[in-house]
Amino acid sequence: MGTRLFVTMELGPSGFALPRSHLDGSARKAAHGSLQSRDCSAYNRQMPRARYKNVVDRLAGDIRSARLAPGTKLPTHRELAADEGLALATASRVYAELAAMGLVSGETGRGTFVRETFLPPGTGMDQHAPALDLVDLNFNAPSLGGQDELLRRALRNLSSQGDLEALLRYQPHGGRRHERGAVARHLRRHGVPATSDRVLIVSGAQHGLAVTAIALLQPGDVVAIDALSYPGFKMVARAHSLELAPIPITSDGPDLGALARLCATRRVRAIYTMPTLHNPLGWVTTLEVRLQLVEIARAYGLHIIEDATYAFLAEGAPEPLAALAPELTVYVSTLSKSVATGLRFGFVAAPSVSVPLIERAIRATTWNTPALVTAIASEWLDDGTVARLEEKKRADARRRQSVAREVFEGIDVVGHPTSYILWIPLTGEARADRIAAELMHQNVSVSTAEPFATTQDIPHAVRVAVGSVDLDVLRAALCKVAQVVREHTVL
Ligand SMILES: Cc1ncc(COP(=O)(O)O)c(C=O)c1O
């Protein structure tokens, strides 16, 4: 499979000037004088423009105007150096600058290619306001028919209860005790030996990951992470200045030999991991792999951050890491996928010593998850609504996966049979950004591997989220994906 190096940089405005109306008379005179006294031509002469910059500008212009089409293979560094009369290192600098502008990608062993500039940067990472007719196979927001009625009923029930005044006040940072109790009971049903004093309610798993990082890690800390992983943790790492150390992937999960070697050579503080229903690869690691991971974590004193966002979809999975190593593991999960993404209800189960630290991080970020949401969600946890929705969504995901497998017959895909995610590794000369851009032209949005990759070499693959659109819309959109992938792949 081809790999590529992908660097993007946001370009800001080159400068600004005060409008004339903002200057009073004397200030205007002074400004005029200082402008007159500045000899711009002399200034330019003192700063001769490096000649290679002209090459950068010319190539950038050709790419932006599509004179050089996306996917075009550019001359090798050596050829560019010879063509333009540049030193080899300077030719490499030309490509580095174009890569930093997001215009080309250098791919190990394949060469330098013109990037697809039609795709908005951050596709798969940032949620862009989607066009009304865009079929979203980029983000998963699984919702079953009739969930709005559930919410209506819950609001009616809530409005008839006597304790509404309490919902108008600040709440304890990790949630009220009886709500934390409801979460702990839910977690115990999922094999996590949680008690209400070790559980904290947060505003979604993303918030759970952010407060865990704030509470337990310092800027500069090294965190081990799968070579392909959840983009939201990359964002947490960037925001908190953590260093991510990628662990290679095997068909059974993370390469634990590589993790052990990493820990032996670097001071690794934590591992971020998804043992049950990995996003994006859908794996469920075996008990043996989990025990090995715990052994390494114990040997090197790592915090384990276990993300179980999609875990409810995999029935019969081995015990969570939070059960195997409760003293090391912060277990983060959510009702986003089992109930609704807009709810923003997540939870963290942590070792006792970490609880006050995470509580303070919640205080620093949201103070508390909105009381109205926690009241409704904890009711749903206790009255069996969440368990029923989990079961229905397992069946829903299974149906969607089987539609996808049918449509993608003959194309190798990776994914769990009851997952809402499908990973399509590309072969031959197929380029993920070109495929994603072509699908975007056909109003179907998918993600490339870029947001998921924690390495510099990024595999060519497409990630499809099958949970957000109606089944018949999904089938039609998947047919478009399969067709474009087939057209781009030399089978
Ligand atoms: C693995 C993983 N973790 C965390 C999240 C964030 O979930 P939430 O919507 O609860 O913040 C997601 C969302 O897709 C996810 O896939």
Side-chain angles (χ1 to χ4, degrees):
M1 195 194 308
T3 52
R4 66 200 173 131
L5 181 76
F6 215 144
V7 192
T8 54
M9 189 179 77
E10 280 171 23
L11 295 176
S14 56
F16 65 91
L18 275 177
R20 284 186 74 81
S21 59
H22 283 215
L23 301 175
D24 66 17
S26 56
R28 201 178 294 154
K29 223 164 151 185
H32 185 65
S34 78
L35 275 179
Q36 270 193 335
S37 64
R38 198 197 286 166
D39 180 351
C40 294
S41 59
Y43 179 78
N44 284 339
R45 267 202 308 281
Q46 281 162 13
M47 302 263 306
R49 199 164 188 275
R51 196 163 53 80
Y52 85 92
K53 290 274 186 195
N54 295 337
V55 182
V56 173
D57 288 350
R58 199 179 66 239
L59 285 171
D62 285 350
I63 294 168
R64 290 202 175 102
S65 65
R67 273 193 296 278
L68 280 171
T72 303
K73 186 169 183 184
L74 296 173
T76 62
H77 294 212
R78 204 168 289 283
E79 285 164 352
L80 183 72
D83 291 350
E84 302 289 347
L86 301 171
L88 183 58
T90 314
S92 299
R93 206 158 157 193
V94 169
Y95 283 151
E97 290 203 8
L98 289 169
M101 292 153 88
L103 297 175
V104 305
S105 60
E107 304 181 9
T108 313
R110 299 219 303 178
T112 305
F113 293 84
V114 174
R115 267 196 66 184
E116 181 54 75
T117 49
F118 170 75
L119 278 184
T123 298
M125 186 86 102
D126 307 325
Q127 194 166 17
H128 300 275
L132 276 182
D133 54 350
L134 187 75
V135 179
D136 183 4
L137 304 185
N138 199 343
F139 291 95
N140 263 328
S143 181
L144 303 174
Q147 280 194 214
D148 52 345
E149 191 46 47
L150 270 181
L151 181 58
R152 215 165 272 128
R153 213 178 311 144
L155 289 168
R156 267 199 304 269
N157 287 346
L158 196 64
S159 71
S160 63
Q161 284 169 14
D163 194 23
L164 283 191
E165 172 68 24
L167 305 185
L168 294 174
R169 286 187 237 118
Y170 282 129
Q171 307 289 301
H173 305 306
R176 295 186 288 175
R177 181 154 290 277
H178 68 280
E179 293 166 338
R180 291 164 70 171
V183 172
R185 283 188 288 281
H186 168 75
L187 287 176
R188 288 200 292 270
R189 287 190 288 272
H190 284 279
V192 179
T195 47
S196 57
D197 56 343
R198 293 208 299 109
V199 157
L200 299 162
I201 294 172
V202 291
S203 300
Q206 182 66 40
H207 183 225
L209 296 174
V211 290
T212 302
I214 293 171
L216 303 184
L217 301 169
Q218 297 296 323
D221 278 354
V222 178
V223 179
I225 185 168
D226 301 320
L228 290 166
S229 190
Y230 168 56
F233 193 78
K234 286 170 62 180
M235 293 182 129
V236 168
R238 200 177 308 149
H240 198 47
S241 303
L242 304 174
E243 183 189 336
L244 292 181
I247 319 164
I249 281 163
T250 74
S251 51
D252 301 327
D255 177 345
L256 295 180
L259 174 65
R261 285 191 295 282
L262 173 73
C263 293
T265 49
R266 303 276 325 262
R267 179 158 159 62
V268 179
R269 293 284 297 152
I271 176 166
Y272 168 72
T273 187
M274 288 171 273
T276 307
L277 234 153
H278 181 269
N279 179 5
L281 298 172
W283 71 45
V284 177
T285 62
T286 61
L287 181 61
E288 195 189 351
V289 166
R290 291 171 196 228
L291 289 170
Q292 274 172 20
L293 191 149
V294 164
E295 201 179 315
I296 296 170
R298 286 204 173 115
Y300 292 99
L302 307 188
H303 296 290
I304 300 175
I305 304 171
E306 178 175 22
D307 186 337
T309 291
Y310 281 105
F312 73 97
L313 288 171
E315 266 188 314
E319 281 179 273
L321 299 169
L324 299 172
E327 80 286 8
L328 296 181
T329 307
V330 178
Y331 181 96
V332 179
S333 197
T334 177
L335 296 190
S336 281
K337 309 298 175 178
S338 55
V339 181
T341 51
L343 209 53
R344 309 314 300 141
F345 184 91
F347 32 89
V348 170
S352 306
V353 287
S354 306
V355 168
L357 303 174
I358 299 176
E359 246 167 352
R360 292 186 67 183
I362 297 171
R363 188 212 187 283
T365 49
T366 54
W367 188 289
N368 64 261
T369 297
L372 202 57
V373 166
T374 58
I376 292 172
S378 44
E379 188 69 29
W380 281 344
L381 285 167
D382 264 349
D383 71 7
T385 302
V386 172
R388 272 194 299 281
L389 284 172
E390 284 181 344
E391 197 178 330
K392 285 186 176 169
K393 289 199 179 175
R394 274 193 292 274
D396 181 53
R398 184 184 293 283
R399 225 170 3 250
R400 288 161 185 268
Q401 276 286 338
S402 67
V403 169
R405 301 304 169 113
E406 201 183 294
V407 170
F408 287 108
E409 211 191 328
I411 299 174
D412 277 340
V413 294
V414 177
H416 188 276
T418 56
S419 143
Y420 281 117
I421 297 166
L422 204 69
W423 183 257
I424 312 170
L426 300 172
T427 54
E429 295 298 302
R431 303 178 51 75
D433 56 343
R434 299 226 55 203
I435 290 174
E438 201 165 317
L439 286 165
M440 189 74 97
H441 279 298
Q442 298 187 35
N443 280 336
V444 176
S445 112
V446 296
S447 177
T448 65
E450 186 189 4
F452 299 89
T454 59
T455 51
Q456 288 219 314
D457 277 350
I458 299 169
H460 278 283
V462 171
R463 193 199 82 141
V464 178
V466 298
S468 294
V469 300
D470 288 347
L471 210 54
D472 44 342
V473 177
L474 176 69
R475 183 184 285 276
L478 289 176
C479 287
K480 287 183 184 176
V481 177
Q483 190 184 345
V484 173
V485 168
R486 284 198 179 97
E487 282 165 8
H488 281 250
T489 310
V490 185
L491 293 171

